[in-house]
């Protein structure tokens, strides 16, 4: 199996309370690497030293688009110092989405960030949600992004939960980007007939339709409706280098740490 990392957003409260202790627990669970979602006020030098001591590989980092745009060299340089080969745009607010008011501005901004990362010897990724599967001129918005910015600058970080929640075949879509999919997000979920929109309430993003959250729940891998073995096969076919486990919100009466352990144990059982 490909090496497995944990997106630390999954255990964000634990990280804030005990940064070092949480990383040590992640290593003990069997994760080989981590993907950051903030550094909890630690310096790049501190984080690099701590990871080396624990034996965890810094795979990537999710960094807010606005934060990177404001100071691209400084922000990307920080993760370069830590040793991350990848940095991802994790989310675009509504006005910056492809086809929206500032969509062209975002395309130019992401290209600039990707060029900056390339100069630093890093690779920029884009992490999708479900809204990128709205069609623009007959193409998914996500495809417009990848057709606009070349592969040598921008690679995919397909979040297979959001691909599936949008009603798209996740393994097939992953194979579509073979050779351009170095990091793949593994995420399980259950979803009722009302669809995925309410899921944003679960990750702290307000929605006008809160009742739609009913029936949607993020789950540890192997405890939802995703066909994880088929996604793993597609990740191999696509030439992925890392699998990243993410669970935006804990569930099933378990803590975030317990959910992270359930996911890695499930993967080890395959």
């Amino acid at each position: 199996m490909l090496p497995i990392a944990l997106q630390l957003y999954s255990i964000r409260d634990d990280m804030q309370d005990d940064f070092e202790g949480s990383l040590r627990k992640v290593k003990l669970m069997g994760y080989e690497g981590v993907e950051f979602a903030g550094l909890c006020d630690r310096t790049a030098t501190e984080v690099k030293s701590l990871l080396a001591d624990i034996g965890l590989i810094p795979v990537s980092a999710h960094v807010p688009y606005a934060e990177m745009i404001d100071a691209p060299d400084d922000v990307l340089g920080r993760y370069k110092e830590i040793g991350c080969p990848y940095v991802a745009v994790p989310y675009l607010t509504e006005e910056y989405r492809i086809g929206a008011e500032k969509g062209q501005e975002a395309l130019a901004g992401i290209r600039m960030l990707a060029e900056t990362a390339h100069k630093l010897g890093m690779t920029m990724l884009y992490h999708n949600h479900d809204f990128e599967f709205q069609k623009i001129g007959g193409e998914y918005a996500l495809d417009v992004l990848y057709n606009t910015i070349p592969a040598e600058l921008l690679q995919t970080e397909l979040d297979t939960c959001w691909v599936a929640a949008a009603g798209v075949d996740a393994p097939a879509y992953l194979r579509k980007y073979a050779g351009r999919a170095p990091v793949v997000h593994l995420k399980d979920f259950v979803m009722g007939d009302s669809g995925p929109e309410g899921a944003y309430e679960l990750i702290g993003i307000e929605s006008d339709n809160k009742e739609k959250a009913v029936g949607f729940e993020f789950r540890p891998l192997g405890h939802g409706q995703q066909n994880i073995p088929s996604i793993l096969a597609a990740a191999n076919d696509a030439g992925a280098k890392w699998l990243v486990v993410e669970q935006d919100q804990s569930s099933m009466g378990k803590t975030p740490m317990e959910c992270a352990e359930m996911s890695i144990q499930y993967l080890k059982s395959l």
Side-chain angles (χ1 to χ4, degrees):
M1 186 179 291
L2 292 166
I4 303 163
L6 180 67
Q7 165 50 263
L8 296 173
Y9 183 77
S10 309
I11 55 166
R12 53 196 176 276
D13 292 339
D14 297 274
M15 290 294 296
Q16 193 65 51
D17 291 342
D18 184 1
F19 190 85
E20 178 177 345
S22 296
L23 289 174
R24 291 191 181 280
K25 288 178 183 177
V26 169
K27 175 64 176 179
L28 287 172
M29 288 178 195
Y31 288 97
E32 297 173 61
V34 291
E35 182 175 59
F36 290 98
L39 300 178
C40 301
D41 299 320
R42 270 66 175 185
T43 68
T45 302
E46 290 171 333
V47 173
K48 181 178 181 178
S49 176
L50 183 58
L51 292 178
D53 181 56
I54 294 171
L56 282 169
I57 297 169
V59 176
S60 180
H62 278 196
V63 187
Y65 173 74
E67 182 182 334
M68 289 193 283
I69 286 290
D70 284 346
D73 291 290
D74 289 347
V75 173
L76 293 173
R78 188 180 311 144
Y79 290 98
K80 170 70 174 178
E81 181 180 346
I82 290 170
C84 296
Y86 305 102
V87 173
V89 176
Y91 180 81
L92 289 175
T93 53
E94 193 167 352
E95 70 274 20
Y96 285 105
R97 295 172 188 172
I98 311 305
E101 174 190 357
K102 295 184 178 181
Q104 288 300 314
E105 181 181 331
L107 283 172
I110 293 170
R111 185 182 186 107
M112 180 274 290
L113 292 173
E115 289 171 346
T116 303
H118 186 71
K119 289 174 186 174
L120 290 169
M122 306 168 75
T123 301
M124 182 63 60
L125 307 174
Y126 183 86
H127 168 267
N128 65 278
H129 290 76
D130 65 322
F131 54 77
E132 291 92 348
F133 290 93
Q134 295 177 0
K135 288 201 171 179
I136 298 173
E139 283 187 293
Y140 291 134
L142 192 57
D143 293 328
V144 172
L145 171 67
Y146 292 129
N147 289 335
T148 302
I149 303 175
E152 59 265 27
L153 291 177
L154 183 67
Q155 300 273 298
T156 74
E157 183 178 51
L158 293 178
D159 186 307
T160 55
C161 162
W162 290 113
V163 175
V168 177
D169 184 320
Y173 196 78
L174 185 49
R175 288 187 175 94
K176 176 179 179 176
Y177 283 100
R180 198 176 179 175
V183 183
V184 176
H185 263 210
L186 299 180
K187 186 188 298 180
D188 214 341
F189 69 100
V190 293
M191 181 173 71
D193 294 338
S194 58
E197 185 175 333
Y200 290 93
E201 291 290 336
L202 301 176
I203 56 176
I205 299 171
E206 291 188 4
S207 167
D208 293 331
N209 202 346
K210 296 186 179 184
E211 66 269 17
K212 283 197 173 183
V214 176
F216 188 101
E217 186 174 74
F218 297 109
R219 290 283 184 87
L221 298 182
H223 296 271
Q225 63 191 60
Q226 289 273 59
N227 185 335
I228 301 298
S230 70
I231 292 171
L232 295 177
N236 274 305
D237 291 345
K241 295 179 173 65
W242 279 93
L243 304 169
V244 176
V245 172
E246 182 180 43
Q247 186 173 341
D248 304 66
Q249 191 69 254
S250 61
S251 60
M252 301 175 66
K254 304 295 184 181
T255 67
M257 278 289 187
E258 288 170 338
C259 288
E261 185 157 23
M262 289 169 71
S263 287
I264 189 75
Q265 291 301 325
Y266 168 74
L267 290 174
K268 287 178 178 180
S269 75
L270 296 178

